[in-house]
């Protein structure tokens, strides 16, 4: 009875509330915890109320992806330097994935066709065309950039989500060749390979693209 009385007024639930609650659940409890029943409890509403806004979990994830685009572009303003702009946009995506890792891990790969995604596409294309590229070449360079940035940022989100939200960007991976003579370079560099700073890797990937 107490739970029923605590429920919110019918029709008062907004899409923004649902998306924000989804992101809280994702980053505190993990992707598997995000169900419409769990959302209903979080929002003091019925799962049916959530379904009125989003017909499926996939639709909800697209909305989360669109919100991540919004966060990434917040207060963004292009400069006179296209390299600086592409660097800025890349690190904005990385920072969002670091702050919202579980959400990024499940939503950053999705295409939303929403206003914030289209704004991000426009920002990247604007920088690329200022670099002197046009037509098909501009599109190819855009796709390479998008795959690099979104793939790297999403991978960062996945690593952090798997490590229970750790803020660290350095992870340990061990290579111990059973026969060092068969893999001499892995043996030679195994101590350097042991600790990988993925923020440094991401920085170098962006620099290599811009070169």
């Amino acid at each position: 009875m107490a739970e029923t009385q605590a429920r919110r007024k019918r029709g008062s639930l907004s899409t923004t509330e649902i998306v924000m609650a989804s992101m809280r659940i994702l980053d505190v409890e993990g992707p598997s915890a995000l169900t419409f029943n769990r959302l209903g409890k979080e929002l003091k509403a019925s799962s049916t109320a959530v379904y009125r806004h989003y017909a499926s979990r996939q639709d909800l994830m697209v909305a989360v992806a669109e919100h991540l685009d919004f966060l990434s572009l917040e207060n963004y303003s292009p400069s006179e330097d296209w390299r600086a702009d592409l660097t800025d946009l890349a690190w904005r995506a990385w920072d969002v994935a670091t702050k919202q890792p579980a959400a990024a891990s499940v939503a950053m790969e999705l295409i939303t066709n929403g206003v914030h995604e289209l704004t991000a596409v426009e920002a990247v294309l604007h920088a690329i065309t200022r670099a002197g590229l046009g037509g098909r070449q501009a599109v190819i360079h855009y796709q390479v950039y998008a795959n690099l940035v979104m793939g790297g940022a999403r991978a960062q989100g996945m690593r952090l989500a798997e490590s229970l939200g750790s803020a660290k960007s350095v992870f340990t991976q061990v290579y111990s060749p059973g026969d060092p003579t068969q893999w001499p370079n892995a043996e030679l560099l195994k101590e350097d390979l042991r600790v990988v700073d993925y923020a440094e890797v991401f920085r170098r990937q962006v620099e290599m693209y811009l070169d």
Side-chain angles (χ1 to χ4, degrees), residues 142-196:
Y142 160 77
Q143 204 64 59
V144 171
Y145 176 87
N147 288 351
L148 183 158
V149 171
M150 301 309 288
R154 180 172 179 259
Q156 169 72 351
M158 293 174 69
R159 285 187 293 268
L160 292 178
E162 290 171 1
S163 63
L164 301 177
S166 169
K168 295 180 180 179
S169 62
V170 178
F171 294 81
T172 302
Q173 52 189 30
V174 179
Y175 294 94
S176 299
D179 181 1
T181 62
Q182 189 173 355
W183 295 282
N185 292 299
E187 174 66 21
L188 178 65
L189 298 171
K190 67 181 181 182
E191 292 306 316
D192 290 310
L193 288 168
R194 188 179 300 277
V195 178
V196 179

Side-chain angles (χ1 to χ4, degrees), residues 89-111:
L89 289 165
W91 283 107
R92 284 168 172 271
W94 178 272
D95 289 343
V96 166
T98 300
K99 293 173 183 175
Q100 307 282 349
S105 73
V106 296
M108 261 191 168
E109 65 177 347
L110 300 176
I111 296 173

Side-chain angles (χ1 to χ4, degrees), residues 4-14 17 43-53:
T4 301
Q5 291 175 343
R7 289 193 182 278
R8 62 195 301 150
K9 183 179 178 181
R10 181 182 176 87
S12 64
L13 193 61
S14 70
E17 288 179 283
L43 295 163
K44 294 183 170 60
S46 69
S47 59
T48 304
V50 180
Y51 276 112
R52 290 193 190 102
H53 293 278

Side-chain angles (χ1 to χ4, degrees), residues 68-76 89 92 116-117 119-120 123:
L68 293 177
D69 285 331
F70 163 76
L71 293 175
S72 180
L73 291 168
E74 197 167 20
N75 298 320
Y76 171 74
L89 289 165
R92 284 168 172 271
H116 301 303
E117 180 181 77
T119 301

